[in-house]
């Protein structure tokens, strides 16, 4: 943002200006890949890898920053992984290429990507990532420098993804079918284009030794994380995709008769362009609500995945996109502007999420807060109202189960503190008192088991000591009373004796 933009923001949104200022001042990048000490792992000293980093900046502004902050060689590996998938996606999306041209390239891309000297120059001039394929030699050179365990993962994921993309591209070209029909078909598509990305990244974490070996086998959770991001992007990019005649929303959702009946008995939509036609606003919002409910179904699995991560850089890499996805869902929900233009969250909100997405507890509370906002906007006449309430309630339940809201972390010590106003605090305190009592009884029993006569002797000694103390106290009291009596008698005799 330029100086003029910052000044305008200061005058119009002072709180957002403060957030951005805090981000600029306090948020420091975890690493600088251009630093000479980082060259062995980042590869910045090689012209080919430096060009790959430049392509990353050009193709993904949102992911570029978090990728560069990954530790060690992971940043370079994930950068190349991203570029390979971006190249594959560019060919699949290019509407100027015939199906006959696409099919052999898509189905062999995992081999072509690592073939020295291979490039592709036939993409349409309007494809924004066309230059990446034109200069593919720099990518293939760096791919062949990777350790075999990393390269095998990239090739395996690329082969799986290219198969799915080729199948969908062939179906669209041969059947003239513009729409995804069922939710299962929609889920499969999202798995191919995003769930497999989550699988590949998870296998990287394990292969690098940054995370546990068994994490790489958590395919259901990694798929949920990637699918949630993809489905959020599909909702947000509706109008942009519709203008290019690309429709990813499943007919099983947008074609439901219930949405038409809920707005006065109107018929169900038969064409997705009807969603942004004048007069269909309310019915379109019910369709959008159904899409949001579908995405929220992946939220708890995504939180489960994040709880398994132990490395801070890996956690931040995964958590920041997830919290931004929740923010984007909240922005889109019940917002008809989404059907008219491309919308996105404000920079200050994005900066705040980056600074706050540092641990599983805070991320869970971010999910919960956005779920509450979504639920607050829902209206009972929405046919999805009950399902939406259940989905938001599951997020709330997940947070309370794993990170109860009445337990707070002390600002200085970091230890747990309990909210005195919450009834659950009394239950915890009673349980703690009972635990202490059980621990005391256990220690006493252990002493009795080790030295059966020790406690009896100690009790007898304590009894003797108590008797002696009683005699001492009684004798002392008697002497005090006697002394006081004698003193009083002496004073009386002295006073009345003279008289």
């Amino acid at each position: 943002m330029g100086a003029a933009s910052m000044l305008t923001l200061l005058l119009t949104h002072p709180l957002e200006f403060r957030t951005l200022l805090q981000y600029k001042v306090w948020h420091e990048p975890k690493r600088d890949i251009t630093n000479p000490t980082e060259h062995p792992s980042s590869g910045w000293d090689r012209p080919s890898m430096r060009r790959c980093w430049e392509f990353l900046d050009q193709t993904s502004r949102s992911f570029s920053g978090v990728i560069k902050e990954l530790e060690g060689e992971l940043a370079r590996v994930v950068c190349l992984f991203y570029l390979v998938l971006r190249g594959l996606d560019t060919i699949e999306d290019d509407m100027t290429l015939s199906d006959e041209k696409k099919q052999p390239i898509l189905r062999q891309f995992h081999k072509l990507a690592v073939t020295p000297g291979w490039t592709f120059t036939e993409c349409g001039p309007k494809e924004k990532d066309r230059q990446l394929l034109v200069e593919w030699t720099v990518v293939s050179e760096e791919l062949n420098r990777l350790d075999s365990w990393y390269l095998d993962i990239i090739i395996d994921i690329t082969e799986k993804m290219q198969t799915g993309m080729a199948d969908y591209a062939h179906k669209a070209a041969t059947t003239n079918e513009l729409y995804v029909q069922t939710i299962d078909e929609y889920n499969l598509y999202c798995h191919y284009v995003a769930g497999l990305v989550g699988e590949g990244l998870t296998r990287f974490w394990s292969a690098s030794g940054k995370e546990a070996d068994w994490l790489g086998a958590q395919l259901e959770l990694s798929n949920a994380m990637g699918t949630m991001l993809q489905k959020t992007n599909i909702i947000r990019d509706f109008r942009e995709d519709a203008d290019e005649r690309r429709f990813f929303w499943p007919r099983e959702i947008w074609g439901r008769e219930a949405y038409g009946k809920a707005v006065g008995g109107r018929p169900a939509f038969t064409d997705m362009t009807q969603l942004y036609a004048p007069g269909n606003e309310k019915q379109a919002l019910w369709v959008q609500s159904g899409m949001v409910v579908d995405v929220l179904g992946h939220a708890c699995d995504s939180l489960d995945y994040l709880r398994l991560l132990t490395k801070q850089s890996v956690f931040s890499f995964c958590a920041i996109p997830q919290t931004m996805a929740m923010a984007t869902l909240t922005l889109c929900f019940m917002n008809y502007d989404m059907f008219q233009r491309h919308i996105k969250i404000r920079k200050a909100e994005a900066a705040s999420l980056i600074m706050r997405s540092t641990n599983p507890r805070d991320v869970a509370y971010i999910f919960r807060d956005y779920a509450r906002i979504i639920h607050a906007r829902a209206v009972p006449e929405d046919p999805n109202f009950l399902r939406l309430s259940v989905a938001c309630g599951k997020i709330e339940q997940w947070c309370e189960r794993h990170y109860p809201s009445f337990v707070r972390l002390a600002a200085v010590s970091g230890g747990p503190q309990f909210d005195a106003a919450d009834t659950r605090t009394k239950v915890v305190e009673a349980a703690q008192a009972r635990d202490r009592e059980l621990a005391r009884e256990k220690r006493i029993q252990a002493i009795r088991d080790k030295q059966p006569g020790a406690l009896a002797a100690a009790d007898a000694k304590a009894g003797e000591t108590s008797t002696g103390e009683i005699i001492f106290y009684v004798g002392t009291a008697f002497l005090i009373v006697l002394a006081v009596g004698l003193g009083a008698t002496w004073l009386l005799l002295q006073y009345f004796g003279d008289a």
Side-chain angles (χ1 to χ4, degrees), residues 42-53:
S42 71
W44 185 261
D45 54 327
R46 297 190 298 272
S48 56
M49 191 62 218
R50 185 177 302 183
R51 184 57 176 156
C52 289
W53 287 116

Side-chain angles (χ1 to χ4, degrees), residues 8-26:
T8 303
L9 185 65
L10 173 62
L11 297 176
T12 57
H13 298 84
L15 295 180
E16 292 189 8
F17 176 82
R18 184 185 68 177
T19 301
L20 284 177
L21 186 62
Q22 289 176 337
Y23 178 78
K24 294 289 186 181
V25 173
W26 299 110

Side-chain angles (χ1 to χ4, degrees), residues 117 146 188 197 200 215 231-232 295 312 331 344 372 431 442 452:
L146 292 177
L188 182 61
V197 178
L215 183 67
K231 288 185 175 182
T232 300
V295 179
Q312 183 62 56
L331 174 66
K344 59 182 180 180
R372 287 177 176 178
K442 187 176 181 180

Side-chain angles (χ1 to χ4, degrees), residues 398-442:
W398 191 97
C399 293
E400 283 298 321
R401 182 171 68 249
H402 294 284
Y403 306 105
S405 57
F406 74 98
V407 181
R408 302 172 181 173
L409 299 179
V412 178
S413 64
Q417 293 180 339
F418 302 110
D419 183 3
D422 197 304
T423 307
R424 291 173 293 179
T425 298
K426 297 180 180 179
V427 177
V428 173
E429 290 175 346
Q432 290 178 338
R434 178 58 180 162
D435 289 342
R436 288 194 295 269
E437 181 63 24
L438 290 175
R440 176 178 170 277
E441 293 176 359
K442 187 176 181 180

Side-chain angles (χ1 to χ4, degrees), residues 22 33 47 73 110 138 154 173 182 226-227 232 295 362 413 445 480 487:
Q22 289 176 337
I33 60 172
E73 61 186 356
H110 68 292
V138 296
I154 292 176
T182 65
T227 300
T232 300
V295 179
D362 287 350
S413 64
Q445 185 61 42
I480 291 173

